[in-house]
Amino acid sequence: MSVHQQIKKVTTHVLSEMKLKGEKISMLTAYDYSMARIIDKAGVDVILVGDSASNVMAGYETTLPITLDQMIYHGSSVVRGVERALVVVDMPFGSYQGNSKEALHSAIRIMKESSADAVKIEGGQEIIESINRILSAGIPVMGHLGLTPQSIHKFGTYAVRAQKEDEAERLVADAHALEEAGCFAIVLEKIPAALAARVARELTIPIIGIGAGGGVDGQVLVVHDMLGINQEFSPRFLRRYHNLYAEITGAVKNYIQDVKSQDFPNEREQY
Ligand code: KIV
């Protein structure tokens, strides 16, 4: 029986075991109780309360505006819907860049107020002091390298990262630094597949990819993208498993028609 089938509650240790056994890790985002409940019951291993909530829930263009309080609100809503998956909450922009004390304070607030299992933080060696401080408080940390959307204004584009050798070597060094510090896993976003596979081979902790090919230890997608709720975003790495936009539009049109024609409510649908 696979680790996935045996486990009642996914922990960071379970994820290490999955990597050791060559069993791929599934991860999806969620931002609210109802969606988290569905995808947890479906058996996803990790639920990420991503700061992509800023885009898909709040309609902002970037992930920068979302606040720590808002991430805690989304995190606690998700945690109430989850029994099995490991719940990871993103540390939002502005909650850790100032100094390591501020980073620790933000991570403690996330853990205390949302009851999540871990935090995720974007960046490499430049934030290692903050990561060390968070880890020393006993808070599990997931790293995030490659395309780091909180730095969009530094790079100016969401293009594939680490295509040049010097950037690729820096990314590998950052990944090693995160592992040595004690991160339990790393997300690699939008980098060449061969580079991501190299990182997954060299590191003992699980590497979860998004737009990073199949040679890593697991995959993550934004749930609104993979369910086709969000139609505007179609990068090459995205596989759509459903067209919920069309399904919801159809259902809403039927409802409008039934209300206008006075078909709804009928006699059985009233008191
Ligand atoms: O915020 C998010 O959804 C993420 C994933 C894209 C990895 O960080």
Side-chain angles (χ1 to χ4, degrees):
M1 208 196 284
S2 66
V3 179
H4 168 87
Q5 287 163 326
Q6 285 170 355
I7 287 304
K8 290 217 157 49
K9 172 67 192 169
V10 180
T11 63
T12 57
H13 299 284
V14 169
L15 299 183
S16 316
E17 206 183 325
M18 288 172 86
K19 170 150 182 160
L20 265 178
K21 296 201 165 144
E23 196 179 314
K24 299 286 183 185
I25 297 163
S26 62
M27 172 160 145
L28 280 175
T29 64
Y31 317 100
D32 67 278
Y33 168 82
S34 302
M35 184 67 85
R37 202 153 178 267
I38 296 170
I39 65 179
D40 182 55
K41 290 241 184 289
V44 77
D45 298 311
V46 184
I47 295 183
L48 172 66
V49 185
D51 59 358
S52 49
S54 181
N55 311 108
V56 295
M57 299 300 287
Y60 288 113
E61 265 196 26
T62 73
T63 57
L64 274 66
I66 200 158
T67 65
L68 184 58
D69 284 339
Q70 288 165 337
M71 288 306 298
I72 290 170
Y73 167 77
H74 287 297
S76 61
S77 307
V78 164
V79 166
R80 284 192 289 276
V82 172
E83 284 172 12
R84 180 186 173 276
L86 183 91
V87 179
V88 183
V89 174
D90 252 337
M91 296 193 62
F93 178 70
S95 72
Y96 61 92
Q97 288 90 347
N99 57 56
S100 62
K101 204 170 158 195
E102 184 192 23
L104 175 62
H105 178 70
S106 303
I108 287 177
R109 277 204 60 204
I110 290 174
M111 299 299 283
K112 238 184 196 317
E113 296 176 42
S114 76
S115 301
D117 300 308
V119 297
K120 176 163 83 59
I121 185 164
E122 291 185 9
Q125 290 164 87
E126 73 284 4
I127 54 155
I128 214 73
E129 197 186 315
S130 295
I131 290 178
N132 281 329
R133 205 153 178 170
I134 297 168
L135 285 164
S136 69
I139 300 172
V141 176
M142 176 180 269
H144 184 155
L145 298 170
L147 173 62
T148 47
Q150 291 178 16
S151 310
I152 181 61
H153 295 306
K154 177 173 162 195
F155 295 99
T157 147
Y158 289 105
V160 179
R161 297 291 196 266
Q163 302 203 77
K164 296 205 180 109
E165 208 183 321
D166 58 336
E167 206 194 326
E169 289 309 320
R170 219 174 315 128
L171 185 141
V172 173
D174 278 342
H176 279 281
L178 294 182
E179 170 162 273
E180 275 154 32
C183 289
F184 72 88
I186 300 174
V187 165
L188 290 182
E189 181 165 355
K190 222 171 171 187
I191 63 166
L195 176 63
R198 176 182 158 196
V199 175
R201 269 195 316 275
E202 287 186 14
L203 269 61
T204 59
I205 58 173
I207 303 300
I208 318 279
I210 173 164
V216 289
D217 307 305
Q219 300 292 328
V220 55
L221 285 176
V222 169
V223 74
H224 288 63
D225 298 337
M226 61 85 77
L227 290 179
I229 297 173
N230 177 13
Q231 295 279 317
E232 290 86 41
F233 184 65
S234 330
R236 173 163 151 186
F237 68 74
L238 174 63
R239 186 179 293 180
R240 277 198 215 290
Y241 286 84
H242 207 65
N243 187 349
L244 266 192
Y245 185 94
E247 295 266 333
I248 294 171
T249 304
V252 171
K253 284 192 168 164
N254 287 342
Y255 167 73
I256 294 168
Q257 197 185 327
D258 288 353
V259 170
K260 303 275 182 204
S261 66
Q262 299 181 44
D263 177 74
F264 176 79
N266 63 27
E267 291 209 341
R268 280 171 286 112
E269 291 161 332
Q270 54 190 292
Y271 302 99

